[in-house]
Amino acid sequence: MPLVSTREMFNKAYAGGYAVGAFNVNNMEILQGIVDAASAQKAPLILQVSAGARKYARHEYLMKLAEAAVETSTIPIALHLDHGEDFAVCKSCIDGGFKSVMIDGSRFAFAENVRVTKEVVAYAHERGVSVEAEIGKLAGVEDDVKVAARDALYTDPDEAVEFVQQTGCDSLAIAIGTSHGAYKFKGEPKLDFERLEIIGKRLPGFPIVLHGASSVPQDLVALCNKYGGTIPGARGVPEEMLRKAAGMAVCKINIDTDLRLALTATIRQQFTEHPEEFDPRKYLGPAREAIKKVVTHKLVNVLGCAGKA
Ligand code: G3H
Ligand code: 13P
Ligand code: ZN
């Protein structure tokens, strides 16, 4: 099966009450760990690449890695641009073989976000590529988000409806309290499920995307810190909240930080326990296994997409 767009995956996910995992890829071991897990679990899969990943690993290499994943597995795999900041980067990915792109105009005012998203949608749809867009701001940990601030930052349901109607985007990333990175909550973790429910009702059947959805597993944080890491107090989105969101309108859940933690904790452990080793395969191999383990857990216990390929 060639690389696919996310359209069919999302239709099935919406109807089935589960979410597809979108995992960030930066190198071969990360990609292999993800694909091995999804293949073993027969789960549909979104491999996503940020502009930074594309700069680091280079477009052509990432394309070939994704093509190798497709050739060696039987699950549907989409290759998606994560947080495309302008038309140029989206065009470049579409021209270069991606089947799904995100145009992230969330930093702009509504009208400019609509304008740039429409531009990408027109180009992408002519070429069979799906488009994710975003409105609302993902609150950082520093925002001890009070009710008034929440209304300013989180996605406004009326705007979401208008935005989707005006742009024709295929999925929409919304802000309901998640944030990127390993420090998501100072106090009690909280997501605005009421807002998600309203948006879901106002946009029936329409796929919603949750960014900043790593759960920051505490065993990985502890392992990292045990072997010299300094990431005290890292906290993510509780898994039961992600599971709840996956049963609602959320069809795509983005995970990067958990993969970084798994990889780094494992490499730290290997370096400490085997200081005599200098063969990269000796630490990258276990790191790849750690990625596979964390992704398997997500697919089976959190996203609900195991067996849905
Ligand atoms: O949402 C951001 C992703 O974690 C990608 O991060 O831009 O450092 O590759 P990056
Ligand atoms: P995390 O930092 O929570 O893994 O979020 C990743 C993400 O949203 C990528 O777009
Ligand atoms: Zn994101």
Side-chain angles (χ1 to χ4, degrees), residues 24 48 82-83 179-181 184 211-214 254-257:
N24 286 71
Q48 59 184 9
D82 190 25
H83 292 285
S179 62
H180 291 110
K184 300 193 192 293
H211 281 247
S214 275
N254 284 12
I255 297 162
D256 187 5
T257 296

Side-chain angles (χ1 to χ4, degrees), residues 138-197:
L138 264 64
V141 73
E142 67 280 10
D143 313 299
D144 205 357
V145 187
K146 302 277 182 295
V147 178
R150 224 183 273 165
D151 279 334
L153 290 171
Y154 290 4
T155 304
D156 176 73
D158 292 334
E159 279 196 359
V161 174
E162 210 182 316
F163 186 86
V164 168
Q165 282 170 353
Q166 285 191 30
T167 61
C169 65
D170 303 287
S171 60
L172 186 68
I174 61 165
I176 55 165
T178 60
S179 62
H180 291 110
Y183 301 92
K184 300 193 192 293
F185 300 101
K186 262 199 235 157
E188 216 27 50
K190 204 170 181 322
L191 296 188
D192 194 340
F193 282 106
E194 214 176 300
R195 194 174 293 261
L196 172 59
E197 194 171 357

Side-chain angles (χ1 to χ4, degrees), residues 65-104:
L65 283 174
E67 282 164 13
V70 159
E71 275 169 30
T72 56
S73 68
T74 54
I75 53 170
I77 300 178
L79 181 62
H80 171 79
L81 168 67
D82 190 25
H83 292 285
E85 68 166 14
D86 54 24
F87 176 78
V89 69
C90 293
K91 178 180 185 300
S92 164
C93 286
I94 294 166
D95 294 348
F98 282 45
K99 290 284 172 268
S100 177
V101 293
M102 175 187 192
I103 172 69
D104 182 356

Side-chain angles (χ1 to χ4, degrees), residues 114-137:
V114 167
R115 190 201 62 75
V116 70
T117 301
K118 272 175 84 169
E119 193 183 8
V120 172
V121 166
Y123 192 79
H125 283 184
E126 268 175 29
R127 291 158 182 82
V129 173
S130 29
V131 179
E132 173 184 330
E134 174 170 335
I135 54 168
K137 306 237 175 327

Side-chain angles (χ1 to χ4, degrees), residues 21 23-24 29-30 32-38 41 213-221 223 239 242 255-266 286-303 305:
F23 300 96
N24 286 71
E29 283 77 8
I30 296 174
Q32 288 177 334
I34 298 166
V35 173
D36 288 352
Q41 295 306 323
S214 275
S215 46
V216 188
Q218 292 302 299
D219 56 334
L220 292 178
V221 173
L223 195 68
E239 289 181 346
L242 297 170
I255 297 162
D256 187 5
T257 296
D258 289 352
L259 308 184
R260 294 178 178 193
L261 285 170
L263 191 93
T264 303
T266 306
R288 178 172 59 191
E289 276 307 304
I291 298 265
K292 182 178 176 186
K293 193 173 159 205
V294 85
V295 172
T296 301
H297 174 75
K298 301 278 176 198
L299 302 174
V300 175
N301 301 307
V302 183
L303 308 172
C305 61

